[in-house]
Amino acid sequence: MTTTTEAFRFSEFGAPEVLKCETIALSAPAAGEIQIRQLAIGVNYIDVYHRKGVFAAQLPLPSGLGVEGVGIVTALGDGVGNLNLGDRVAYVGGPPNAYSTHRNLPAVRALPVPDALESETVAALIFKGLTAEYLIHRCVPVAKYDIVLFHAAAGGVGSIATQWLKHLGATVISTVGSPEKADIARANGCDHTIIYTREDFRARIAEITGGKGVHVVYDSVGADTFARSLDCLRPRGTLVSFGEASGPVAPLNLASLGAKGSLFVTRPSIAHYTADRSEYEAAAKNLFRAIEAGIVKAPNLAKYRLGDAVKVHEDMESRSTRGSIILIPSGPSR
Protein backbone atom coordinates (compact mmCIF):
# COMPACT_ATOMS: atom_id res chain seq x y z
CA MET A 1 0.00 0.00 0.00
CA THR A 2 1.28 3.48 -0.86
CA THR A 3 0.92 6.41 1.55
CA THR A 4 1.18 10.09 0.64
CA THR A 5 3.54 12.17 2.74
CA GLU A 6 4.41 15.85 2.91
CA ALA A 7 8.19 16.00 3.16
CA PHE A 8 10.94 18.60 2.96
CA ARG A 9 13.69 17.70 0.52
CA PHE A 10 16.61 19.45 -1.15
CA SER A 11 18.53 18.78 -4.36
CA GLU A 12 21.48 21.10 -3.75
CA PHE A 13 23.45 22.18 -0.71
CA GLY A 14 23.09 25.74 0.48
CA ALA A 15 21.05 28.28 2.41
CA PRO A 16 17.72 27.43 4.10
CA GLU A 17 15.87 28.28 0.89
CA VAL A 18 17.10 25.07 -0.76
CA LEU A 19 14.53 23.21 1.38
CA LYS A 20 11.34 22.52 -0.57
CA CYS A 21 8.15 20.89 0.70
CA GLU A 22 6.96 18.14 -1.65
CA THR A 23 4.01 15.78 -1.72
CA ILE A 24 5.43 12.36 -2.50
CA ALA A 25 4.32 8.74 -2.55
CA LEU A 26 5.72 6.66 0.28
CA SER A 27 5.99 2.98 -0.56
CA ALA A 28 5.26 0.17 1.88
CA PRO A 29 8.13 -0.49 4.30
CA ALA A 30 10.79 -2.87 3.06
CA ALA A 31 12.00 -5.90 5.00
CA GLY A 32 13.34 -4.78 8.36
CA GLU A 33 11.58 -1.43 8.17
CA ILE A 34 8.54 0.16 9.76
CA GLN A 35 6.32 2.99 8.59
CA ILE A 36 5.27 5.65 11.07
CA ARG A 37 2.90 8.60 11.23
CA GLN A 38 4.93 11.35 12.83
CA LEU A 39 3.66 13.03 15.99
CA ALA A 40 6.57 15.37 16.66
CA ILE A 41 9.90 15.94 14.92
CA GLY A 42 13.08 16.95 16.66
CA VAL A 43 15.31 19.61 15.13
CA ASN A 44 19.06 19.51 15.67
CA TYR A 45 21.97 21.57 14.41
CA ILE A 46 23.22 18.55 12.49
CA ASP A 47 20.28 19.24 10.15
CA VAL A 48 21.99 22.51 9.22
CA TYR A 49 25.24 20.65 8.55
CA HIS A 50 23.39 18.21 6.29
CA ARG A 51 21.65 21.02 4.40
CA LYS A 52 24.89 22.96 3.91
CA GLY A 53 26.85 19.93 2.73
CA VAL A 54 29.31 19.62 5.63
CA PHE A 55 28.87 15.85 5.31
CA ALA A 56 28.37 15.92 1.54
CA ALA A 57 30.31 12.71 0.97
CA GLN A 58 27.84 10.88 3.22
CA LEU A 59 24.65 12.43 1.85
CA PRO A 60 23.78 11.82 -1.80
CA LEU A 61 21.33 14.27 -3.36
CA PRO A 62 18.42 14.70 -3.62
CA SER A 63 17.82 14.05 0.06
CA GLY A 64 15.35 14.42 2.86
CA LEU A 65 16.29 16.06 6.13
CA GLY A 66 16.06 15.31 9.84
CA VAL A 67 17.15 12.32 11.91
CA GLU A 68 14.92 12.30 15.00
CA GLY A 69 11.28 12.14 15.94
CA VAL A 70 8.38 10.35 17.56
CA GLY A 71 5.59 8.56 15.74
CA ILE A 72 2.98 5.81 15.66
CA VAL A 73 3.76 2.58 13.82
CA THR A 74 1.33 2.24 10.89
CA ALA A 75 2.93 -0.59 8.90
CA LEU A 76 5.50 -3.33 9.40
CA GLY A 77 7.95 -4.72 6.87
CA ASP A 78 8.85 -8.39 6.68
CA GLY A 79 10.96 -9.68 9.52
CA VAL A 80 9.99 -7.03 12.06
CA GLY A 81 9.01 -8.97 15.16
CA ASN A 82 9.71 -6.64 18.07
CA LEU A 83 7.12 -3.96 17.25
CA ASN A 84 3.36 -3.85 16.69
CA LEU A 85 0.96 -1.63 14.81
CA GLY A 86 -0.01 1.30 17.01
CA ASP A 87 3.20 1.31 19.04
CA ARG A 88 4.60 4.73 19.83
CA VAL A 89 8.30 4.92 19.07
CA ALA A 90 11.12 7.43 19.08
CA TYR A 91 14.17 7.28 16.86
CA VAL A 92 17.55 8.81 16.17
CA GLY A 93 19.41 8.00 12.99
CA GLY A 94 18.49 6.15 9.85
CA PRO A 95 18.04 7.90 6.51
CA PRO A 96 17.42 11.65 6.97
CA ASN A 97 13.69 11.93 6.32
CA ALA A 98 12.28 13.20 9.60
CA TYR A 99 10.93 16.47 8.16
CA SER A 100 7.80 14.69 6.93
CA THR A 101 4.31 13.69 7.98
CA HIS A 102 4.99 9.97 7.39
CA ARG A 103 8.18 8.04 6.82
CA ASN A 104 9.79 4.62 6.58
CA LEU A 105 12.46 3.80 9.13
CA PRO A 106 14.79 0.88 9.89
CA ALA A 107 13.13 -0.95 12.76
CA VAL A 108 16.49 -1.24 14.52
CA ARG A 109 16.41 2.54 15.12
CA ALA A 110 12.95 2.52 16.77
CA LEU A 111 12.78 2.86 20.55
CA PRO A 112 9.57 2.16 22.50
CA VAL A 113 8.46 5.29 24.34
CA PRO A 114 7.28 4.91 27.96
CA ASP A 115 3.60 5.71 28.37
CA ALA A 116 4.35 8.37 30.98
CA LEU A 117 6.28 10.56 28.54
CA GLU A 118 4.67 13.05 26.16
CA SER A 119 5.57 12.80 22.48
CA GLU A 120 6.60 16.45 22.20
CA THR A 121 8.87 16.14 25.24
CA VAL A 122 10.57 13.05 23.83
CA ALA A 123 10.98 14.61 20.37
CA ALA A 124 12.56 17.66 21.98
CA LEU A 125 14.97 15.56 24.02
CA ILE A 126 15.74 12.33 22.17
CA PHE A 127 18.66 13.39 19.93
CA LYS A 128 20.04 16.08 22.21
CA GLY A 129 19.42 13.91 25.25
CA LEU A 130 21.19 10.90 23.76
CA THR A 131 24.01 13.25 22.74
CA ALA A 132 24.30 14.53 26.31
CA GLU A 133 24.08 10.94 27.59
CA TYR A 134 27.03 9.66 25.58
CA LEU A 135 29.10 12.82 26.09
CA ILE A 136 28.97 12.83 29.88
CA HIS A 137 28.43 9.14 30.67
CA ARG A 138 30.48 7.30 28.04
CA CYS A 139 32.75 9.58 25.98
CA VAL A 140 34.22 11.12 29.14
CA PRO A 141 32.41 9.68 32.18
CA VAL A 142 32.02 12.64 34.53
CA ALA A 143 32.30 11.91 38.23
CA LYS A 144 31.24 13.78 41.35
CA TYR A 145 33.47 16.79 42.05
CA ASP A 146 34.85 16.94 38.50
CA ILE A 147 35.08 20.46 37.08
CA VAL A 148 33.53 20.79 33.64
CA LEU A 149 33.48 23.64 31.11
CA PHE A 150 30.53 23.48 28.73
CA HIS A 151 30.40 25.95 25.85
CA ALA A 152 27.06 27.17 24.44
CA ALA A 153 25.38 25.98 27.62
CA ALA A 154 22.05 27.64 26.85
CA GLY A 155 21.59 25.66 23.63
CA GLY A 156 19.72 22.40 23.21
CA VAL A 157 22.47 19.93 24.12
CA GLY A 158 24.06 22.32 26.60
CA SER A 159 20.86 22.89 28.55
CA ILE A 160 20.26 19.15 28.92
CA ALA A 161 23.86 18.25 29.67
CA THR A 162 24.31 20.91 32.33
CA GLN A 163 21.17 19.77 34.16
CA TRP A 164 22.47 16.22 34.14
CA LEU A 165 26.03 17.20 35.09
CA LYS A 166 24.75 19.10 38.10
CA HIS A 167 22.80 16.01 39.19
CA LEU A 168 26.02 13.97 38.92
CA GLY A 169 27.68 16.35 41.36
CA ALA A 170 30.07 18.06 38.96
CA THR A 171 31.05 21.71 39.19
CA VAL A 172 29.67 23.17 35.96
CA ILE A 173 31.15 26.23 34.28
CA SER A 174 29.35 27.52 31.21
CA THR A 175 29.97 30.02 28.45
CA VAL A 176 27.10 31.87 26.81
CA GLY A 177 26.71 34.85 24.50
CA SER A 178 24.31 37.12 26.35
CA PRO A 179 22.87 37.94 29.80
CA GLU A 180 19.61 36.26 28.78
CA LYS A 181 21.43 33.04 27.97
CA ALA A 182 23.36 33.36 31.22
CA ASP A 183 20.04 33.30 33.07
CA ILE A 184 19.11 30.09 31.25
CA ALA A 185 22.43 28.48 32.13
CA ARG A 186 22.09 29.39 35.80
CA ALA A 187 18.54 28.06 35.86
CA ASN A 188 19.89 24.74 34.56
CA GLY A 189 22.30 24.49 37.47
CA CYS A 190 25.53 26.00 36.18
CA ASP A 191 27.76 27.05 39.08
CA HIS A 192 29.63 29.69 37.09
CA THR A 193 28.46 31.43 33.94
CA ILE A 194 30.81 33.34 31.64
CA ILE A 195 29.50 35.73 28.98
CA TYR A 196 32.24 35.15 26.44
CA THR A 197 31.42 38.34 24.51
CA ARG A 198 32.37 40.40 27.56
CA GLU A 199 35.26 38.58 29.19
CA ASP A 200 38.10 36.18 28.42
CA PHE A 201 36.86 32.76 29.44
CA ARG A 202 40.43 31.50 29.82
CA ALA A 203 41.15 34.10 32.50
CA ARG A 204 37.88 33.32 34.28
CA ILE A 205 38.59 29.58 34.23
CA ALA A 206 42.00 30.20 35.77
CA GLU A 207 40.39 32.37 38.44
CA ILE A 208 37.60 29.88 39.23
CA THR A 209 39.91 26.86 39.40
CA GLY A 210 42.82 28.55 41.14
CA GLY A 211 44.93 28.05 38.03
CA LYS A 212 44.43 24.28 37.97
CA GLY A 213 42.08 24.15 34.97
CA VAL A 214 39.11 21.91 34.30
CA HIS A 215 38.92 18.15 33.87
CA VAL A 216 36.96 18.29 30.62
CA VAL A 217 35.76 20.86 28.08
CA TYR A 218 32.71 20.14 25.92
CA ASP A 219 32.91 22.32 22.81
CA SER A 220 30.32 22.46 20.03
CA VAL A 221 31.34 25.97 18.90
CA GLY A 222 34.48 25.02 17.02
CA ALA A 223 36.76 27.61 15.41
CA ASP A 224 36.09 30.44 17.85
CA THR A 225 36.77 28.44 21.02
CA PHE A 226 38.86 25.35 20.29
CA ALA A 227 42.38 26.71 20.80
CA ARG A 228 41.45 28.64 23.93
CA SER A 229 39.60 25.61 25.28
CA LEU A 230 42.87 23.67 25.29
CA ASP A 231 44.31 26.37 27.54
CA CYS A 232 41.52 25.77 30.07
CA LEU A 233 42.39 22.11 30.70
CA ARG A 234 44.38 20.78 33.60
CA PRO A 235 47.14 18.24 32.83
CA ARG A 236 45.69 15.07 31.29
CA GLY A 237 42.36 16.81 30.76
CA THR A 238 40.14 16.12 27.75
CA LEU A 239 38.66 18.40 25.12
CA VAL A 240 35.53 16.93 23.53
CA SER A 241 34.90 18.71 20.23
CA PHE A 242 31.42 17.69 19.08
CA GLY A 243 30.40 20.51 16.74
CA GLU A 244 31.56 23.53 14.79
CA ALA A 245 28.82 26.16 14.90
CA SER A 246 31.37 28.94 14.34
CA GLY A 247 33.27 27.10 11.62
CA PRO A 248 35.77 24.24 11.21
CA VAL A 249 38.62 23.83 13.67
CA ALA A 250 42.07 24.62 12.31
CA PRO A 251 44.57 21.75 11.96
CA LEU A 252 45.97 20.71 15.33
CA ASN A 253 49.68 20.38 16.10
CA LEU A 254 49.75 17.16 18.11
CA ALA A 255 52.97 18.13 19.85
CA SER A 256 51.13 21.02 21.49
CA LEU A 257 49.01 18.53 23.44
CA GLY A 258 52.10 17.27 25.20
CA ALA A 259 53.41 20.76 25.85
CA LYS A 260 50.11 21.84 27.39
CA GLY A 261 49.93 18.91 29.82
CA SER A 262 49.51 15.57 28.01
CA LEU A 263 46.03 16.56 26.94
CA PHE A 264 43.43 14.41 25.18
CA VAL A 265 41.25 15.55 22.28
CA THR A 266 38.36 13.61 20.78
CA ARG A 267 35.86 14.32 18.01
CA PRO A 268 32.99 11.92 18.77
CA SER A 269 29.85 11.22 16.77
CA ILE A 270 26.55 10.02 18.15
CA ALA A 271 26.43 7.53 15.27
CA HIS A 272 29.32 5.59 16.75
CA TYR A 273 27.90 5.72 20.28
CA THR A 274 24.49 4.37 19.22
CA ALA A 275 25.46 1.98 16.40
CA ASP A 276 25.21 -1.09 18.64
CA ARG A 277 21.52 -1.86 19.32
CA SER A 278 22.04 -2.90 22.94
CA GLU A 279 24.08 0.22 23.68
CA TYR A 280 21.49 2.38 21.91
CA GLU A 281 18.67 0.89 23.98
CA ALA A 282 20.61 1.23 27.23
CA ALA A 283 21.38 4.88 26.50
CA ALA A 284 17.71 5.57 25.73
CA LYS A 285 16.58 3.90 28.94
CA ASN A 286 19.09 5.99 30.88
CA LEU A 287 17.70 9.13 29.24
CA PHE A 288 14.04 8.16 29.71
CA ARG A 289 14.68 7.46 33.41
CA ALA A 290 16.30 10.87 33.77
CA ILE A 291 13.30 12.54 32.10
CA GLU A 292 10.77 10.66 34.24
CA ALA A 293 12.74 11.52 37.40
CA GLY A 294 12.79 15.21 36.51
CA ILE A 295 16.60 15.25 36.29
CA VAL A 296 16.41 16.35 32.65
CA LYS A 297 13.71 18.67 31.34
CA ALA A 298 13.04 20.01 27.87
CA PRO A 299 14.49 23.53 28.05
CA ASN A 300 12.64 26.47 26.55
CA LEU A 301 10.79 24.31 24.07
CA ALA A 302 10.04 26.12 20.81
CA LYS A 303 7.35 24.66 18.55
CA TYR A 304 7.11 25.32 14.81
CA ARG A 305 4.77 23.86 12.24
CA LEU A 306 6.41 21.46 9.80
CA GLY A 307 5.69 23.93 7.00
CA ASP A 308 7.93 26.49 8.72
CA ALA A 309 11.11 24.40 8.36
CA VAL A 310 12.91 27.11 6.38
CA LYS A 311 12.18 29.65 9.13
CA VAL A 312 13.50 27.22 11.73
CA HIS A 313 16.84 26.98 9.94
CA GLU A 314 17.08 30.74 9.57
CA ASP A 315 16.47 31.16 13.28
CA MET A 316 19.02 28.50 14.24
CA GLU A 317 21.77 29.99 12.09
CA SER A 318 21.11 33.48 13.43
CA ARG A 319 21.53 32.00 16.94
CA SER A 320 18.18 33.47 17.95
CA THR A 321 16.83 30.15 19.24
CA ARG A 322 16.94 28.94 22.84
CA GLY A 323 16.86 25.37 24.09
CA SER A 324 15.08 22.69 22.07
CA ILE A 325 13.06 23.00 18.85
CA ILE A 326 10.44 20.66 17.45
CA LEU A 327 8.32 20.59 14.31
CA ILE A 328 4.67 19.61 14.57
CA PRO A 329 3.15 17.88 11.50
CA SER A 330 -0.49 18.35 10.63
CA GLY A 331 -2.93 15.93 12.20
CA PRO A 332 -3.63 14.62 15.69
CA SER A 333 -0.88 14.40 18.29
CA ARG A 334 -0.68 12.77 21.70
Side-chain angles (χ1 to χ4, degrees), residues 61-287:
L61 297 179
S63 175
L65 194 66
V67 293
E68 55 178 323
V70 177
I72 298 293
V73 178
T74 57
L76 302 170
D78 291 342
V80 177
N82 61 328
L83 294 168
N84 298 300
L85 297 179
D87 283 354
R88 188 167 58 118
V89 297
Y91 64 91
V92 172
N97 283 312
Y99 288 24
S100 58
T101 57
H102 302 75
R103 67 161 300 176
N104 292 338
L105 176 76
V108 71
R109 302 310 300 173
L111 299 161
V113 177
D115 290 340
L117 299 182
E118 295 293 328
S119 297
E120 293 182 359
T121 299
V122 175
L125 290 172
I126 186 66
F127 190 110
K128 300 172 186 67
L130 287 179
T131 300
E133 194 278 340
Y134 90 77
L135 287 174
I136 68 177
H137 289 278
R138 292 182 286 139
C139 182
V140 180
V142 176
K144 191 174 183 178
Y145 305 123
D146 282 353
I147 304 175
V148 174
L149 170 60
F150 210 105
H151 288 302
V157 173
S159 292
I160 297 164
T162 51
Q163 293 176 60
W164 216 336
L165 285 165
K166 191 60 182 174
H167 176 76
L168 292 174
T171 296
V172 185
I173 307 170
S174 65
T175 67
V176 295
S178 69
E180 294 77 16
K181 290 186 176 182
D183 290 340
I184 293 170
R186 281 189 287 268
N188 286 327
C190 292
D191 298 281
H192 305 275
T193 301
I194 303 167
I195 303 175
Y196 67 85
T197 54
R198 297 183 177 181
E199 54 186 331
D200 181 355
F201 68 79
R202 289 176 300 184
R204 285 286 288 122
I205 293 297
E207 177 185 342
I208 292 167
T209 65
K212 293 180 179 179
V214 302
H215 294 88
V216 56
V217 178
Y218 292 101
D219 188 347
S220 63
V221 178
D224 289 351
T225 53
F226 183 88
R228 289 179 292 164
S229 293
L230 290 174
D231 295 334
C232 295
L233 289 167
R234 63 180 55 198
R236 296 167 61 181
T238 303
L239 171 54
V240 181
S241 174
F242 67 102
E244 50 185 40
S246 67
V249 173
L252 175 64
N253 178 1
L254 289 177
S256 68
L257 299 180
K260 290 178 181 292
S262 297
L263 304 181
F264 296 85
V265 175
T266 182
R267 182 62 162 89
S269 167
I270 190 174
H272 299 125
Y273 281 84
T274 61
D276 179 80
R277 174 69 190 186
S278 61
E279 193 173 15
Y280 181 45
E281 288 180 333
K285 289 177 181 177
N286 193 16
L287 173 62

Side-chain angles (χ1 to χ4, degrees), residues 308-332:
D308 294 326
V310 172
K311 172 64 173 171
V312 171
H313 278 238
E314 291 172 346
D315 290 349
M316 282 197 296
E317 290 194 86
S318 70
R319 300 193 183 184
S320 63
T321 58
R322 306 286 188 273
S324 294
I325 304 169
I326 60 172
L327 297 172
I328 305 297
S330 300

